[in-house]
Amino acid sequence: MTDSLRPQGHNRAPLPPAQQPADGVPSPRSPQNRKAQGNARAASSGGARQRDAFFDNAKYLAIVLVAIGHAWEPIKGGSRTLETLYTVVYTFHMPAFIIISGFFSRSFDASPSRMKRLITGVAVPYIVFETAYPLFKRWIDDDPGMDVSILDPWYLTWFLCALFIWRLTTPLWKVVRWPLPIALGLAMMATVTPEIGDDLDLQRVLQFLPYFVLGLIMKPEHFHMVRTRTTRLLSVPIGVVTLLVAYWAVPRMNTAWFYHRDAAQELQAPWWTGPVMVLAMFGCSLLLTACFFAWVPRRHMWFTTLGAGTLYGYLLHGFVVKAGDYQGWFEADWLHRPEGVAFVSVLAAVGVTLLCTAPVRRVFRFAMEPKMEWAFKRDAAELARARERREGATAREKVDA
């Protein structure tokens, strides 16, 4: 293998491509893509790949719903109406976000460059925020006994832990014959296994796994199927029926099922309800997620660029919500009335929007997207490609001379 990288006069073996093209996408070197490349270079300086506005819009709207749901927690109290809205939102907001995360993890192949990005973009932020949240609670809640534990995700950090594990297993899901049924089977088994415990929040990792795997096996045309006028029209009666069913179920059902963090036995339910709830909630979540995607704008909107910063909004808004909870900001009686709920909802939406903006991302990039070049070896193929480019440039200069 190493011999192929050694110079052989002018007959050097071609280097592997820097990145494998996605399924169904023509190779950058294929004849059918040369014209598209030329058009792309003419349309944008540097030839940067254009982002799909639909996915950025979906990520932004999903993260707004996440922030609103967290802001509702301290004020929902005994309100059946707010509990109904809370339950409906929790049915699909994280599944939608996880499906998109799985869809954009399809190219993960455990190569050195992808592993480096996984460490700097997921593992390092997890360690930073898993340390920061308990320290924040010690200070703001005057709780010096709050432990810092890397193995026990606290509050929002479970998603980073789960994403790290899911992405590491991506090559496995690409080779098995029935990835989604296997993932559903693992989720069902987790709900009857309370012995899993809280380490790395494995209950959530396994119970949310089917949504990630579904995203992995989806293709762009699957998203186009739900982005139709018919789906949007159907989503209206589906939404009404969902609200009515949720209103009926609120006093009869444990809301903790929607967190996917406990086994059936831990919720004081018969063991067999765990697998049943996995399948039932998977079906309900997919239905509502399809309705949500149907209403996501496909064109560029004022908030589209914020979709690139949703992880910032996700991890940072928790400090504001927890500070308000610890300091008693949500205890005012008027906040528990309809006008108060509306005020909190708008405030949460505006707050998480600001946290997704470019200035905030620049300030916190050191923790969320650290370069860390000092921590990694340079990939041999990358070094060889750089050497080949330098030698090619030198050769062209000699010819021009």
Side-chain angles (χ1 to χ4, degrees):
M1 184 69 180
T2 54
D3 289 341
S4 65
L5 300 179
R6 293 176 182 169
Q8 303 289 338
H10 293 289
N11 298 321
R12 180 174 300 171
L15 294 171
Q19 180 177 347
Q20 294 294 331
D23 295 338
V25 178
S27 166
R29 296 180 180 178
S30 62
Q32 64 267 34
N33 204 36
R34 287 174 186 163
K35 182 177 180 180
Q37 278 188 314
N39 294 339
R41 282 193 294 269
S44 59
S45 59
R49 184 176 60 182
Q50 186 178 4
R51 297 176 66 97
D52 190 328
F54 168 79
F55 291 107
D56 278 333
N57 292 339
K59 288 194 296 180
Y60 167 76
L61 295 174
I63 214 64
V64 167
L65 291 175
V66 169
I68 291 175
H70 288 152
W72 282 347
E73 286 180 8
I75 62 173
K76 59 189 178 72
S79 171
R80 186 172 177 178
T81 300
L82 187 54
E83 188 76 33
T84 297
L85 295 174
Y86 179 85
T87 301
V88 172
V89 168
Y90 264 73
T91 304
F92 73 91
H93 70 348
M94 282 310 295
F97 204 79
I98 294 169
I99 288 172
I100 295 175
S101 298
F103 180 74
F104 283 100
S105 297
R106 295 174 303 157
S107 60
F108 184 84
D109 55 5
S111 62
S113 61
R114 298 284 164 79
M115 290 300 298
K116 175 183 173 182
R117 182 72 184 99
L118 182 63
I119 292 171
T120 57
V122 179
V124 171
Y126 169 73
I127 293 172
V128 170
F129 282 88
E130 180 61 17
T131 303
Y133 268 112
L135 293 179
F136 179 74
K137 188 177 189 302
R138 286 186 186 183
W139 169 63
I140 199 76
D141 197 31
D142 193 20
D143 183 9
M146 182 65 189
D147 294 329
V148 176
S149 174
I150 299 300
L151 294 178
D152 187 10
W154 194 72
Y155 196 34
L156 303 176
T157 57
W158 72 268
F159 177 71
L160 289 177
C161 179
L163 185 60
F164 185 84
I165 296 173
W166 293 334
R167 222 164 246 176
L168 277 181
T169 62
T170 294
L172 171 65
W173 300 113
K174 286 175 165 181
V175 299
V176 297
R177 190 181 293 268
W178 303 290
L180 187 57
I182 292 174
L184 282 169
L186 290 174
M188 294 165 69
M189 291 173 62
T191 61
V192 298
T193 315
E195 295 81 6
I196 289 177
D198 296 326
D199 288 348
L200 299 180
D201 223 343
L202 286 179
Q203 278 289 354
R204 270 178 167 160
V205 171
L206 293 173
Q207 290 191 38
F208 275 115
L209 175 63
Y211 302 99
F212 182 81
V213 173
L214 177 63
L216 282 177
I217 63 178
M218 288 182 71
K219 293 182 169 46
E221 51 265 31
H222 294 138
F223 289 94
H224 290 297
M225 290 171 61
V226 299
R227 290 155 54 183
T228 64
R229 184 172 181 272
T230 301
T231 310
R232 285 194 293 273
L233 293 176
L234 287 174
S235 67
V236 175
I238 290 174
V240 172
V241 172
T242 299
L243 289 170
L244 293 175
V245 172
Y247 189 82
W248 171 86
V250 159
R252 299 171 174 84
M253 182 177 175
N254 191 339
T255 307
W257 283 110
F258 295 89
Y259 302 145
H260 298 278
R261 68 186 179 196
D262 300 296
Q265 296 91 323
E266 295 172 298
L267 298 178
Q268 309 303 316
W271 70 268
W272 56 267
T273 58
V276 172
M277 287 299 293
V278 165
L279 295 177
M281 295 193 67
F282 185 72
C284 293
S285 295
L286 290 191
L287 181 62
L288 293 183
T289 298
C291 294
F292 168 70
F293 284 151
W295 284 97
V296 172
R298 288 173 283 182
R299 64 185 185 279
H300 195 281
M301 307 290 289
W302 65 265
F303 53 80
T304 300
T305 55
L306 301 177
T310 49
L311 194 57
Y312 288 79
Y314 175 79
L315 289 172
L316 293 173
H317 86 274
F319 291 105
V320 181
V321 173
K322 283 299 182 185
D325 197 15
Y326 298 147
Q327 297 297 304
W329 299 347
F330 297 103
E331 294 177 1
D333 291 337
W334 72 275
L335 289 178
H336 298 257
R337 295 194 289 268
E339 62 273 19
V341 173
F343 173 77
V344 169
S345 303
V346 172
L347 197 62
V350 172
V352 77
T353 297
L354 294 175
L355 292 175
C356 294
T357 57
V360 174
R361 286 153 56 189
R362 282 195 293 269
V363 171
F364 290 97
R365 184 165 285 130
F366 75 95
M368 300 289 295
E369 300 177 86
K371 295 294 184 184
M372 294 183 63
E373 298 293 341
W374 54 269
F376 301 99
K377 298 177 181 179
R378 292 197 66 181
D379 181 37
E382 180 185 346
L383 288 171
R385 281 192 295 271
R387 184 172 63 248
E388 192 174 63
R389 286 194 296 269
R390 287 196 302 269
E391 292 175 357
T394 302
R396 284 192 297 273
E397 289 174 0
K398 289 179 179 179
V399 170
D400 293 340

